[in-house]
Amino acid sequence: MHTSNPVPPDAAASAPTASPVAAPVGPVDASRVPRFAGIATFARLPRLEDVPRADIAVVGVPFDSGVSYRPGARFGPAHVREASRLLRPYNPAQDVSPFATQQVADAGDLAVNPFDIDEAVADVEAGARALDDRADRLVVIGGDHTIALPLLRAVHAKHGPVAVLHFDAHLDTWDTYFGAPVTHGTPFRRASEEGLIDLTASMHVGTRGPLYGVEDLADDERLGFAIATSEDIEEHGVAAVIERIRARIGDAPLYISIDIDVLDPAHAPGTGTPEAGGLTSRELLRILRALADKRIVGADVVEVAPAYDHAQLTAVAASHVAYELISAMAPRG
């Protein structure tokens, strides 16, 4: 046997070795622990305190004091976590294993003041900023849509103005309710006024139903949003709307905010302000999958109100929406 230039034993012993990179800690194995057993973290993932650091932290914000109609979204995070027990580790639609290629962990819930909206908004922003030390990006489960404003403030501090892709039956760019400037119907007006969003790259998707007046649309355009309505999707098809969305976003850092009422009440009855004529779950998931190559810097899924849900229809939809967002954030190749 021929060998050439053997390395002396002492040299081999002193040669530097690369530190192994720890594999991400994934969900609890359903073949060992039944899905209905154990702690209900999102998708049965590890808690944030059980991993050194996370690429993505899933965090709940159980707050609904900003609602204008049905309350109850404060119970949304727990409801969505329960429904997420059935999620599996491989996503064939995106051809990715989102929990194997990045560390995803459940950061629990932020504790926010349920009686004072201004203090709650400050609590959410502070909580999101504090998680920056432990996680690169957040996927937030609400809670009502008020929380999008402090989350965008935290994202802006890190990335500057971001493209906002807002899925919702409503514009959420109204000025005030009963004189209150911060509610679940006003977050994107405040965000635009504060310079948090990219006025050339932001968009509403799935809006529909009655408005207070035609001036609502004029205000919305001035605030920096293009619109793809539910009717646009019906008339032109999902593929055409995806093309519009992608062209609008371009290369901007992207924040995705999803009010579950973007779905038709047949698909998501458990929400605070339902409107007829919405998207199907399949349409929403298809659009999200088309964004996997975009620079998604954060996301929220809000307005799940369990008291109005039936057979977990809304929670199942919301858990899959969060799963597709996490999958779209996963590294490819």
Side-chain angles (χ1 to χ4, degrees), residues 7 19 71 111 139 143 159 173-174 188 193 199 213 226 246 284 291 318 327:
V7 179
S19 300
V139 172
H159 298 282
T173 51
W174 287 287
F188 300 107
E193 291 169 347
L199 302 183
R246 290 179 56 81
L284 176 57
L291 304 172
S327 297

Side-chain angles (χ1 to χ4, degrees), residues 12-37:
S14 61
T17 58
S19 300
V21 177
V25 180
V28 173
D29 186 345
S31 69
R32 295 179 177 273
V33 181
R35 295 185 182 280
F36 44 81

Side-chain angles (χ1 to χ4, degrees), residues 4-13 15:
S4 61
N5 299 324
V7 179
D10 57 337

Side-chain angles (χ1 to χ4, degrees), residues 5 8 15 19 41 43 52 64 80 83 116-117 126 153 155 219 241 257 264 266 272 277 283 318 327:
N5 299 324
S19 300
T41 59
D64 66 1
V80 174
D116 186 314
I117 292 178
R153 288 172 176 167
V155 167
D219 276 356
V241 170
S257 186
D264 190 86
E283 289 168 338
S327 297

Side-chain angles (χ1 to χ4, degrees), residues 56 102 137-139 296 298-299 324-332:
I56 297 172
Q102 58 189 347
R137 291 177 286 184
L138 302 183
V139 172
I296 304 171
E324 293 298 340
L325 289 167
I326 293 167
S327 297
M329 295 180 185
R332 262 54 176 187

Side-chain angles (χ1 to χ4, degrees), residues 80-173:
V80 174
R81 285 188 177 101
E82 280 293 335
S84 76
R85 288 176 179 272
L86 198 57
L87 294 171
R88 298 179 178 88
Y90 173 64
N91 184 338
Q94 295 199 43
D95 188 24
V96 68
S97 296
F99 309 135
T101 57
Q102 58 189 347
Q103 181 63 68
V104 188
D106 192 318
D109 291 339
L110 299 181
V112 299
N113 189 326
F115 301 110
D116 186 314
I117 292 178
D118 290 339
E119 185 173 329
V121 165
D123 290 339
V124 174
E125 182 181 357
R129 285 177 179 249
L131 283 170
D132 273 348
D133 294 334
R134 299 293 311 281
D136 295 330
R137 291 177 286 184
L138 302 183
V139 172
V140 180
I141 303 172
D144 76 53
H145 224 151
T146 309
I147 70 173
L149 176 59
L151 292 173
L152 282 169
R153 288 172 176 167
V155 167
H156 178 269
K158 192 173 181 180
H159 298 282
V162 295
V164 172
L165 184 59
H166 171 218
F167 293 84
D168 201 319
H170 312 94
L171 299 172
D172 287 3
T173 51

Side-chain angles (χ1 to χ4, degrees), residues 166-171 204-209 227-231 262 279:
H166 171 218
F167 293 84
D168 201 319
H170 312 94
L171 299 172
H204 307 294
V205 179
T207 56
R208 61 190 186 275
I227 301 176
T229 66
S230 179
E231 290 79 10
V262 73
L279 276 62

